[in-house]
Structure formats: structure tokens, C-alpha cells
Amino acid sequence: MGSLGLETDGLDSDTYLTLGIKESGKGVFGAPRILSILSSLLEQSIQKNEILLETIQDKGTATSFHGLRVPPISIQKYIDRMFKYAGCSPSCFVIAYIYVDRFLQKTNIHLTSLNVHRLLITSVMVAAKFIDDA
């Protein structure tokens, strides 16, 4: 049975190196670039959704993922912290983003600053179990 990990050998290997998904052998300093791209996408989605919810005077659907107040840590710092301490591969975060996106598409929930941290940690945990566990 083959590995479910990301295959980075091929013609587009430079793309993987640029995004920080594959190490160049010289060592990676700091977080891979893909993590900052993902945090930017999440932050843009949150801004768009919160403006939408304000204009329609809707609080949104409260779920078990919603917190009572906005966490004091930014999404970028939260993702960097998870990367540093959880030992997940960068591809795990890409899969986690896909999980969050699919969850939001299948439910009537908007991504906001009250639920993004909990959705993110849950999806990273599931992605890590799928990709990084031996």
C-alpha cells in the first residue's frame, strides 16, 4: 500500500520549494510560505463574512465551534504556533483548509473571528491523523 503523503518529485518541484511544502536540504527557517498564504485567505474570508453578517443584521448560526469572545491571538500567529508545536507537515495545513472549506459549504455557517480558531485546530487535527500519522 502506498503512502498518502504529498508527492513532491516531478516537474513542479520548484513550486513546492517556493511554498515551503518541500525542504530544499538547506533547512527551512521560520514557517513555510504556504502557511501565511492560508492565514491570509482565512482572514479575507472572515472580513467578508463579518461585513455580510453586519449588513443583514444577523448574528449567524451559533455552533459548538463558536466562542464567546474573539481569541487574543491572530490567525497567522495561531497557525505558526500550531506548525511549531504540533509537528504537522505544511501539506497537513492545506488539507485542513480544504476540510474547513468543505464544512462551511455543507453547513449554513459563516467563518467568523468567533469560530475560526476552533474550526482550524479541529481540521488540523483531523488532517494530521489522515496525513502525518504512521
Side-chain angles (χ1 to χ4, degrees), residues 17 22-28:
L17 287 172
K22 181 179 178 182
E23 294 183 15
S24 64
K26 299 176 185 172
V28 177

Side-chain angles (χ1 to χ4, degrees), residues 36-97:
S36 62
I37 293 170
L38 291 174
S39 70
S40 299
L41 289 171
L42 290 169
E43 287 171 358
Q44 289 172 3
S45 179
I46 289 168
Q47 288 174 352
K48 182 187 71 156
N49 289 334
E50 288 182 345
I51 290 170
L52 174 72
L53 291 174
E54 279 180 15
T55 58
I56 61 173
Q57 300 289 324
D58 187 14
K59 298 273 185 191
T61 306
T63 66
S64 57
F65 292 107
H66 281 72
L68 296 176
R69 58 186 170 275
V70 177
I73 187 169
S74 70
I75 297 168
Q76 175 68 49
K77 289 182 180 178
Y78 193 62
I79 289 174
D80 289 344
R81 201 168 166 77
M82 280 192 288
F83 178 73
K84 182 177 179 180
Y85 294 110
C88 299
S89 64
S91 56
C92 179
F93 288 89
V94 175
I95 300 298
Y97 178 79

